[in-house]
């Protein structure tokens, strides 16, 4: 089943995934309201599976 993707305004800042990072940890690190879901939605073009992010992957941070 396809995941509904919301349009999320971006902050202009980015974060490069490190070994061992998850979307949940990254969302907590940046205190993102909406958690990993808003981070995944903000990066829907580069994240096919929210359970799989790779070291070196650059994520755009939501506003």
């Amino acid at each position: 089943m396809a995941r509904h993707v919301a349009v999320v305004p971006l902050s202009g800042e980015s974060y490069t995934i490190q070994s061992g990072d998850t979307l949940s940890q990254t969302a907590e690190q940046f205190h993102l309201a909406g958690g990993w879901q808003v981070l995944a939605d903000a990066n829907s073009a580069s994240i096919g599976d929210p359970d799989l992010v790779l070291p070196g992957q650059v994520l755009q941070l939501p506003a």
Side-chain angles (χ1 to χ4, degrees):
M1 184 165 120
R3 190 170 68 86
H4 172 74
V5 176
V7 175
V8 177
L10 301 178
S11 68
E13 297 181 42
S14 63
Y15 174 73
T16 302
I17 295 292
Q18 306 298 308
S19 181
D21 282 351
T22 66
L23 286 184
S24 293
Q25 291 169 330
T26 304
E28 285 181 28
Q29 177 181 346
F30 290 99
H31 309 286
L32 299 179
W36 70 265
Q37 294 94 336
V38 74
L39 187 56
D41 287 346
N43 292 279
S44 61
S46 63
I47 296 176
D49 179 354
D51 292 326
L52 179 63
V53 290
L54 303 172
Q57 187 173 2
V58 178
L59 301 181
Q60 300 304 310
L61 299 178

